[in-house]
Amino acid sequence: MTETTAPSRPAPRAKRSGRLARRYAAERRFRAYGIAAIALSITFLLLLFGSILNQAWSALQQTRIGLDIHFDAALLDPDGTRDPAILAKADYGALVKKAWRERFPEVRKRRDKRALRRLLSVGAPYELAAMASADPGLIGTTQRVWLTASDDVDMWLKGKLAEGGGKRAKIGAKALGWLTMLRDEGRLERQFNSAFFTAGDSREPELAGVWGAVAGSFFTLVVCLGLAFPFGVMTAVYLQEFAPRNRWTDLIEVNTNNLAAVPSIVFGLLGLAVLLNFAGLPRSAPLVGGIVLALMTLPTIIIAGRAALQAVPPSIREAALGVGASEMQVVLHHVLPLAMPGILTGTILGAARALGETAPLLMIGMVAFIVDIPADFTDPATALPVQIYLWADAPERAFAERTAAAILVLLGFLVCMNLAAVMLRRAFEQRW
Amino acid sequence: MNQQTLTLAAAVTALGLLAGGAQARDQIRIVGSSTVFPFSTAVAEAFGRSSDFKTPVVESTGSGGGLKLFCAGLGTGHPDITNASRRIKSSEVENCAKNGVTEITEVKVGYDGIVIGNAAAGEPVALGLKQVFMALAKQVPIDGELVDNPYVTWRQIDPSLPGAKIEVLGPPPTSGTRDAFVELAMEKGAKAFPMLKAMAKADKKTFKAVAHTIREDGHFIEAGENDNLIVQKLEKNPAAFGIFGFSFLDQNADRIQGASIDGVAPEFEDIAEGRYPVSRSLYFYVKKAHADTIPGIREFVAEFTSDKAWGPDGYLADKGLIPLPDAERAGVARDARGLADLSM
């Protein structure tokens, strides 16, 4: 810089080399700042991942108690019809009670019996019902069945329940004795927590799963992308390739840019007013969620799409026109395929934001407790970030590790989407 | 590629229009308070499991938001039941009536205690409501005059209290727990001062402003809506206190302890019998007109009001709900099952 302003007399050699050294030093510092910035972000990322993983890994296992269950034919199916309706309605709780009585005959007081039964999840009888319905041949036999333990037992075995708490302790002295006995007999085991990946939401942490939310997020995202992608790309193509430059197109451009910056809750309010109250679409449906999120994603796709189209060299268009292609052919055969990687990147960014959104879903009733797993676009559903939010708020201790595990599932979902985008981009990538 | 996505979009839109037609609903829809949410969902799940009806959908919208949705009208587009951590207001009843929702059944389900507590490692404390007010109000009366709260340590308020700095973690003003705390603890605490008591009679508005305003000089820390967060922070800092719902004390008895207030500890029985001063009633409201159109409403109410759910040994008590006294419970259950009309 100084060379240009200083008189053109060459500086003394020593002074010149000193300046050179300073410039090299500045160069090195500049690079060091860059590396430090990257190192810092990686440290924070690792810290974040580390703390989530550290909390989440134990949710992959669920404590189960092995009980010798006698599938009593006289109790389950007195007439021997093996009718699924009768089998589904039978009193499986009684089987569990009986199994406890046989294992701990010394427990007689009503209060203690209750405490004993509470070692198992309230879902245990339903597990037996599912087993018997799936395999009626079990009836009349005695089996060692691994039943889901209650969340308190699970937390205790995982060492997450501190001793103490006095008379309000989650696991009393007697229960502690029984559990130690069961553990010494090998009847207390931590097994893979398959319920977490296959079940819908539940108020019992040991029964709660993330599948309902995954399905809800999937349906929502399908609707969102199905609407936002074609509309976004068409808008971008028309505005960039065909539209005349006038006051109207300027207005549209300014508004798309503004729309991209609108807080997401506003789209939720719009969904409530227009889609639910006016159009009469069902509440809590992924369809409505998808439309709302599509409105939110649309500006992102349009802006990214226009930038990608603009980056296609004009020579490509001119060459195509030169050999006699129509304008539509120019766009569809040449410009759009070349711009597609950029458009896809924008779409994935928009979809990733939509996937993590809860605020607009609150207004249209998707922040809800939903047990049944949604099977189509109009079933009540929730979404992964909503599930994380609801679990993080739950008082039961065992939900903490499930919250962390659900965060990992959400991250996994995002990674899958990004991979898909990378692969699509590879497929479209063309060099010129 | 583009054509395919276009077709997909068209299919989705068509599906939407199909679903848009007025359709019968076979699933109960519940909205309302986030305080009642854990209990309502537990009943919904048990109901879905034990009956042939679908599991009701429960939304957490807050008491006010829930009543607004509930009162918006009749028909399948509107919720059937709303939960509330306070009683319905007469203005809300009027709003309901304006939209055709005239027959409402009120069901009082139990109590929720609000606890001031610290880490189990810290020393147990006995507080009075007056002391709570002195520790947390923005302005306190000293020598007959309202001045900005000068208390920095607990000992300055009362020699029996610990010498630690006043540090209380609590919910933000948007939270229902905060509303209830301000109304039940701060207001009663303020009335322990003769000067403020007189003011409550003479000038209700100013009194409320004084009693409901919490200090903002760093001694009260807004810790977000999430009570779990407060519990975690208390564990890390044994000198701090926190304000949270009873179910969080119940679930974390190995980590935190509740301070006794006016000599009563936040114990299950004491809240149930009304001795613990900082407790509120929880309700849900049923739209009677829906009872014959939406299947399962009567059965859901019956499940909620059965002793296996809301009794002293029921599964809701396990979740931290404090049941009504036996006689009252029986009466409420009878009225609820008969879908008796609300009387204000």
Side-chain angles (χ1 to χ4, degrees), chain B residues 128-154 156-157 166 185-187 189-197 199 206-217 219:
Chain B
L129 283 180
K130 185 177 175 187
Q131 293 162 349
V132 171
F133 177 80
M134 284 161 79
L136 294 178
K138 189 169 186 198
Q139 292 193 305
V140 290
I142 290 179
D143 300 330
E145 239 179 293
L146 275 175
V147 294
D148 283 347
N149 195 332
Y151 304 111
V152 178
T153 69
W154 290 99
Q156 289 171 348
I157 294 171
I166 298 173
M186 299 287 285
E187 213 171 282
K191 282 186 184 154
F193 292 92
M195 170 194 158
L196 290 175
K197 196 169 184 182
M199 186 200 259
T206 325
F207 169 75
K208 284 223 158 148
V210 172
H212 287 199
T213 312
I214 287 188
R215 67 199 297 186
E216 290 156 352
D217 52 359
H219 291 285

Side-chain angles (χ1 to χ4, degrees), chain A residues 93-386:
Chain A
L95 299 188
V96 179
K97 275 185 208 169
K98 215 170 133 209
W100 278 127
R101 204 157 52 231
E102 277 160 16
R103 175 57 197 83
F104 292 106
E106 69 277 12
V107 176
R108 287 186 179 278
K109 270 194 248 157
R110 195 168 161 267
R111 209 187 155 82
D112 291 346
K113 278 189 191 165
R114 250 169 68 91
L116 190 55
R117 279 206 300 280
R118 280 203 188 158
L119 297 183
L120 277 178
S121 163
V122 294
Y126 301 96
E127 289 176 334
L128 289 178
M131 280 178 75
S133 301
D135 179 12
L138 285 174
I139 291 164
T141 64
T142 303
Q143 305 275 338
R144 166 76 61 95
V145 180
W146 289 94
L147 294 167
T148 304
S150 74
D151 53 330
D152 291 334
V153 172
D154 190 40
M155 289 290 101
W156 172 76
L157 197 69
K158 286 173 179 169
K160 295 196 174 184
L161 213 57
E163 305 284 327
K167 64 173 174 168
R168 254 210 306 262
K170 300 304 301 175
I171 292 188
K174 274 186 185 160
L176 219 53
W178 299 325
L179 283 173
T180 321
M181 259 194 255
L182 286 170
R183 188 173 58 187
D184 295 345
E185 284 169 35
R187 283 169 184 263
L188 202 59
E189 256 183 32
R190 288 162 67 167
Q191 298 177 349
F192 180 67
N193 186 1
S194 55
F196 181 75
F197 295 100
T198 54
D201 198 4
S202 169
R203 282 296 297 139
E204 310 300 328
E206 69 273 15
L207 303 176
V210 84
W211 188 245
V214 170
S217 268
F218 173 76
F219 286 129
T220 311
L221 219 56
V222 166
V223 176
C224 167
L225 286 181
L227 287 172
F229 187 74
F231 282 110
V233 172
M234 279 316 292
T235 312
V237 166
Y238 183 77
L239 285 178
Q240 196 63 33
E241 301 289 325
F242 298 105
R245 287 234 145 262
N246 60 25
R247 207 185 307 158
W248 292 112
T249 48
D250 282 349
L251 194 71
I252 291 174
E253 185 171 348
V254 168
N255 275 315
T256 0
N257 290 342
N258 281 340
L259 218 54
V262 167
S264 56
I265 184 99
V266 176
F267 292 104
L269 285 167
L270 183 83
L272 176 67
V274 176
L275 298 172
L276 296 188
N277 293 348
F278 179 71
L281 291 177
R283 232 179 127 75
S284 313
L287 176 73
V288 181
I291 297 175
V292 166
L293 293 179
L295 291 176
M296 201 187 82
T297 321
L298 206 52
T300 319
I301 297 182
I302 296 175
I303 292 168
R306 292 191 64 176
L309 289 167
Q310 206 162 24
V312 176
S315 55
I316 302 259
R317 294 187 185 84
E318 284 153 15
L321 287 170
V323 295
S326 73
E327 286 202 51
M328 193 177 103
Q329 282 171 331
V330 170
V331 169
L332 287 186
H333 295 174
H334 303 283
V335 178
L336 205 52
L338 286 174
M340 210 31 108
I343 298 178
L344 281 174
T345 307
T347 311
I348 286 299
L349 284 179
R353 190 181 152 206
L355 184 65
E357 204 55 76
T358 52
L361 302 184
L362 179 74
M363 304 311 299
I364 55 166
M366 283 181 81
V367 179
F369 173 78
I370 291 159
V371 175
D372 304 325
I373 291 160
D376 66 37
F377 293 97
T378 51
D379 278 351
T382 176
L384 268 169
V386 174

Side-chain angles (χ1 to χ4, degrees), chain B residues 169-190:
Chain B
L169 300 152
T174 46
S175 149
T177 312
R178 165 80 167 257
D179 287 348
F181 175 76
V182 160
E183 225 159 86
L184 295 164
M186 299 287 285
E187 213 171 282
K188 280 189 212 162

Side-chain angles (χ1 to χ4, degrees), chain A residues 202-203 283-284 369 394 397, chain B residues 29 41 45 58-59 252 254:
Chain A
S202 169
R203 282 296 297 139
R283 232 179 127 75
S284 313
F369 173 78
R397 190 86 59 86
Chain B
R29 309 224 40 154
T41 47
E45 194 180 347
V58 190
E59 282 178 49
N252 295 289
D254 54 334

Side-chain angles (χ1 to χ4, degrees), chain B:
Chain B
M1 160 84 201
N2 222 2
Q3 261 170 352
Q4 277 169 5
T5 37
L6 271 175
T7 335
L8 184 69
V12 165
T13 326
L15 197 76
L17 292 178
L18 254 173
Q23 56 175 6
R25 181 151 57 82
D26 58 354
Q27 194 167 27
I28 302 174
R29 309 224 40 154
I30 304 170
V31 294
S33 163
S34 55
T35 313
V36 190
F37 181 79
F39 311 126
S40 194
T41 47
V43 177
E45 194 180 347
F47 171 74
R49 257 212 214 103
S50 62
S51 74
D52 292 330
F53 300 102
K54 277 195 184 174
T55 309
V57 171
V58 190
E59 282 178 49
S60 170
T61 62
S63 301
L67 279 161
K68 212 166 153 189
L69 286 167
F70 180 80
C71 287
L74 294 175
T76 53
H78 302 283
D80 313 310
I81 293 174
T82 185
N83 299 319
S85 57
R86 55 167 172 84
R87 228 182 151 207
I88 192 169
K89 292 178 193 159
S90 54
S91 61
E92 284 161 339
V93 175
E94 281 162 28
N95 184 27
C96 260
K98 223 187 297 165
N99 294 318
V101 186
T102 45
E103 291 177 312
I104 305 170
T105 303
E106 177 184 72
V107 185
K108 186 173 170 187
V109 292
Y111 303 103
D112 174 40
I114 294 170
V115 178
I116 303 176
N118 58 347
E123 52 181 309
V125 202
L127 289 169
L129 283 180
K130 185 177 175 187
Q131 293 162 349
V132 171
F133 177 80
M134 284 161 79
L136 294 178
K138 189 169 186 198
Q139 292 193 305
V140 290
I142 290 179
D143 300 330
E145 239 179 293
L146 275 175
V147 294
D148 283 347
N149 195 332
Y151 304 111
V152 178
T153 69
W154 290 99
R155 190 151 294 154
Q156 289 171 348
I157 294 171
D158 192 297
S160 71
L161 293 174
K165 194 179 131 199
I166 298 173
E167 217 177 328
V168 179
L169 300 152
T174 46
S175 149
T177 312
R178 165 80 167 257
D179 287 348
F181 175 76
V182 160
E183 225 159 86
L184 295 164
M186 299 287 285
E187 213 171 282
K188 280 189 212 162
K191 282 186 184 154
F193 292 92
M195 170 194 158
L196 290 175
K197 196 169 184 182
M199 186 200 259
K201 279 196 189 119
D203 184 357
K204 214 167 177 181
K205 228 175 184 173
T206 325
F207 169 75
K208 284 223 158 148
V210 172
H212 287 199
T213 312
I214 287 188
R215 67 199 297 186
E216 290 156 352
D217 52 359
H219 291 285
F220 177 84
I221 303 148
E222 280 177 14
E225 297 260 12
N226 190 327
D227 285 6
N228 274 326
L229 212 64
I230 296 182
V231 171
Q232 278 173 24
K233 284 183 179 163
L234 290 183
E235 215 188 356
K236 297 238 164 69
N237 179 3
F241 285 79
I243 299 167
F244 42 84
F246 173 76
S247 42
F248 286 83
L249 177 64
D250 194 38
Q251 291 287 338
N252 295 289
D254 54 334
R255 296 165 158 190
I256 47 175
Q257 57 186 351
S260 70
I261 292 187
D262 287 342
V264 187
E267 293 289 343
F268 195 84
E269 293 77 17
D270 294 303
I271 304 176
E273 283 154 32
R275 281 194 295 272
Y276 184 74
V278 198
S279 77
R280 57 179 158 169
S281 311
L282 305 177
Y283 301 87
F284 70 86
Y285 294 90
V286 186
K287 210 177 269 179
K288 207 170 158 186
H290 281 195
D292 296 318
T293 50
I294 310 289
I297 290 187
R298 285 170 208 277
E299 290 81 357
F300 177 82
V301 172
E303 168 79 31
F304 210 131
T305 56
S306 68
D307 263 7
K308 80 173 155 81
W310 75 345
D313 288 325
Y315 56 78
L316 291 180
D318 287 346
K319 296 260 168 233
L321 178 78
I322 292 153
L324 301 172
D326 289 346
E328 191 181 358
R329 214 171 56 241
V332 174
R334 199 174 47 242
D335 287 351
R337 288 169 190 216
L339 293 179
D341 274 338
L342 166 78
S343 56
M344 290 300 284

